[in-house]
Amino acid sequence: TPLGNATIAASTMQYLSQGLLDDLSGPSLSRSKLQKTLHSLLEGNALLNRALHSASDLVQRFRSLAVEQHQEALQTFNLTYRCQLLLEEWSTRLKQGKVELQAQIADGIMQTGYPNALLQVLDQLIDNAMRHGLVSSQQPQLLFKLSETQEDIQLCVCDNGLGIAEDNLPRIFEPFFTTKPIGEGTGLGLSISKGILDDHQATIFLNRKYP
């Protein structure tokens, strides 16, 4: 977690600083060792700053999410229309990324729940596709599908990107799990999304096939 990374960085910097003080009290301290220690301290400081910045972002994110969920009322809304608006909001970024969008949205689907929270989940899934799945794809494609059966409503966000490593599949919904370097990912997007969908009595799962 970010606070765990901050603790490790701080303790390492303390260890290096104490070692430097001990060397200064000794008979000699080589220039190369001093430079190496100072370089390590700078790296530790950068790591500490990234970790604290991530922690601060998480606090703001949780606070914003808590306020939104508390203020939003349970309501029946037009899910078809909301999804269409979401894709319109993403249209510019998709074009900039040269992503071919395939939208298959059934008409007139109504849903009872918390629309802003649900749209946050869909926004997160598209963002994941853009930031992770399609980042190195030569011909990036994104499929957004909304359909309805007699039993349920189904939403699918699929991409033809690099996918997820087999070893990581069991952990994708764990809080703070990320394959990004420290400071570049919070590892909370899918975990929060799953929590929101649990509140909607919905199920989220991974399909490794495209589309």
Side-chain angles (χ1 to χ4, degrees):
T1 68
L3 292 180
N5 293 329
T7 300
I8 292 172
S11 61
T12 301
M13 292 171 66
Q14 181 181 10
Y15 172 79
L16 292 171
S17 298
Q18 184 61 55
L20 182 58
L21 285 174
D22 293 341
D23 289 337
L24 288 171
S25 301
S28 64
L29 174 62
S30 66
R31 182 183 182 89
S32 61
K33 186 173 184 179
L34 175 61
Q35 289 178 332
K36 183 178 179 180
T37 303
L38 290 175
H39 182 70
S40 296
L41 285 169
L42 286 173
E43 287 183 340
N45 183 69
L47 173 60
L48 180 61
N49 281 330
R50 289 198 301 270
L52 292 176
H53 182 72
S54 295
S56 177
D57 285 346
L58 289 179
V59 171
Q60 296 299 324
R61 187 172 179 177
F62 281 133
R63 181 181 298 169
S64 175
L65 182 62
V67 170
E68 287 179 4
Q69 288 186 331
H70 179 71
Q71 292 180 346
E72 191 172 15
L74 184 68
Q75 56 188 285
T76 298
F77 59 95
N78 189 321
L79 183 56
T80 295
Y81 176 69
R82 295 276 184 152
C83 288
Q84 291 169 340
L85 285 182
L86 177 67
L87 294 182
E88 287 179 10
E89 292 173 359
W90 272 95
S91 60
T92 299
R93 186 174 166 186
L94 291 171
K95 290 178 181 177
Q96 290 174 344
K98 298 181 179 180
V99 177
E100 178 187 348
L101 174 65
Q102 301 177 26
Q104 301 175 14
I105 302 178
D107 293 330
I109 295 182
M110 305 298 293
Q111 168 69 13
T112 299
Y114 304 94
N116 291 333
L118 182 58
L119 268 292
Q120 182 182 9
V121 172
L122 299 177
D123 190 72
Q124 179 66 54
L125 295 178
I126 297 175
D127 186 68
N128 275 3
M130 295 291 290
R131 290 179 181 271
H132 306 290
L134 296 173
V135 67
S136 59
S137 179
Q138 296 299 315
Q139 294 180 317
Q141 296 178 345
L142 181 73
L143 168 65
F144 187 102
K145 185 176 180 180
L146 170 65
S147 59
E148 185 177 22
T149 68
Q150 291 183 346
E151 291 78 24
D152 56 21
I153 295 172
Q154 299 177 357
L155 276 158
C156 174
V157 179
C158 307
D159 66 74
N160 67 337
L162 51 83
I164 300 174
E166 192 77 29
D167 292 343
N168 294 332
L169 293 179
R171 304 189 61 192
I172 59 174
F173 297 116
E174 287 183 12
F176 301 110
F177 175 73
T178 177
T179 57
K180 290 290 185 179
I182 295 172
E184 295 185 17
T186 64
L188 281 175
L190 289 179
S191 176
I192 290 178
S193 296
K194 186 178 185 305
I196 292 174
L197 292 175
D198 287 344
D199 290 339
H200 282 79
Q201 298 181 341
T203 302
I204 182 171
F205 62 92
L206 176 67
N207 186 345
R208 297 199 54 141
K209 296 181 180 180
Y210 177 85

